[in-house]
């Protein structure tokens, strides 16, 4: 296992440690990777990720990549959610659209292993290229719509994690 360490080969074949290995050997409660991100209610977001199974769950489980829309980081009430499910042994890309409802200010991105009964699963997955892309920002002076004030090199990209 190599979470955040050299030796994880990402989806492009590089051992640059850009892929995360989520490995769970036994039911240990809530073995999740979690990241909170601020969001704007009513704006559409695209959640996407790449994943690859290394060790299968004996029950036929899967990796669940989820986004929970919450009122704030301390809330336990999920206002809206979406999930991407991965089970393959080759790199697979999935994405989903989600719109935070009124009252949502935080998107909680969660990766966890689930068994076939949606309990805590075991196994190992590589995770790469996780992104939550939100509404496009308008930048004064950006006449060609490339994310920077014209005449300068720049980049407008997704909010990336892991």
């Amino acid at each position: 296992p190599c979470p955040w360490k050299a030796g994880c080969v990402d989806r492009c074949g590089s051992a640059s440690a850009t892929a995360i290995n989520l490995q769970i050997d036994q039911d240990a409660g809530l073995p999740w990777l979690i990241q909170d991100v601020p969001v704007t209610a009513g704006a559409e977001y695209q959640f996407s990720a790449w994943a690859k199974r290394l060790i299968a769950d004996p029950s036929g489980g899967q990796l669940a990549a989820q986004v929970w829309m919450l009122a704030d980081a301390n809330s336990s009430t999920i206002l809206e959610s979406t999930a991407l499910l991965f089970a393959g042994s080759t790199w697979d890309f999935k994405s989903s659209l989600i719109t935070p409802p009124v009252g949502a200010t935080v998107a909680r991105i969660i990766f966890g292993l689930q068994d076939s009964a949606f309990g805590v699963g075991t196994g190992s997955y590589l995770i790469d290229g996780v992104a939550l892309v939100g509404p496009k920002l308008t930048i004064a002076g950006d006449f060609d719509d490339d994310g920077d004030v014209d005449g300068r090199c720049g980049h407008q990209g997704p909010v990336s994690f892991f």
Side-chain angles (χ1 to χ4, degrees):
C2 49
W4 299 284
K5 293 191 265 181
C8 286
V9 177
D10 67 15
R11 71 181 185 280
C12 301
S14 170
S16 63
T18 59
I20 292 175
N21 182 352
L22 178 58
Q23 181 168 343
I24 307 300
D25 296 323
Q26 62 185 0
D27 182 346
L30 302 174
W32 296 344
L33 295 174
I34 299 174
Q35 174 85 39
D36 285 352
V37 179
V39 292
T40 302
E44 186 175 69
Y45 291 80
Q46 181 176 19
F47 174 53
S48 60
W50 289 84
K52 174 184 177 178
R53 185 188 74 234
L54 299 178
I55 301 170
D57 181 271
S59 77
Q62 59 203 350
L63 173 70
Q66 303 173 60
V67 175
W68 297 350
M69 294 298 172
L70 308 171
D72 58 57
N74 297 316
S75 177
S76 60
T77 302
I78 301 169
L79 302 174
E80 184 69 46
S81 67
T82 190
L84 310 174
L85 302 175
F86 298 92
S89 61
T90 59
W91 281 109
D92 189 16
F93 175 80
K94 296 192 184 225
S95 69
S96 178
L97 296 174
I98 186 167
T99 301
V102 172
T105 66
V106 172
R108 178 160 294 155
I109 300 171
I110 302 167
F111 284 81
L113 300 179
Q114 296 179 334
D115 64 18
S116 58
F118 298 102
V120 176
T122 61
S124 178
Y125 281 81
L126 291 179
I127 303 166
D128 197 12
V130 178
L132 184 66
V133 179
K136 188 170 182 181
L137 301 175
T138 303
I139 300 173
D142 179 17
F143 301 108
D144 59 1
D145 203 26
D146 66 352
D148 64 66
V149 176
D150 288 323
R152 298 184 317 156
C153 293
H155 175 266
Q156 177 182 356
V159 176
S160 296
F161 309 95
F162 307 125

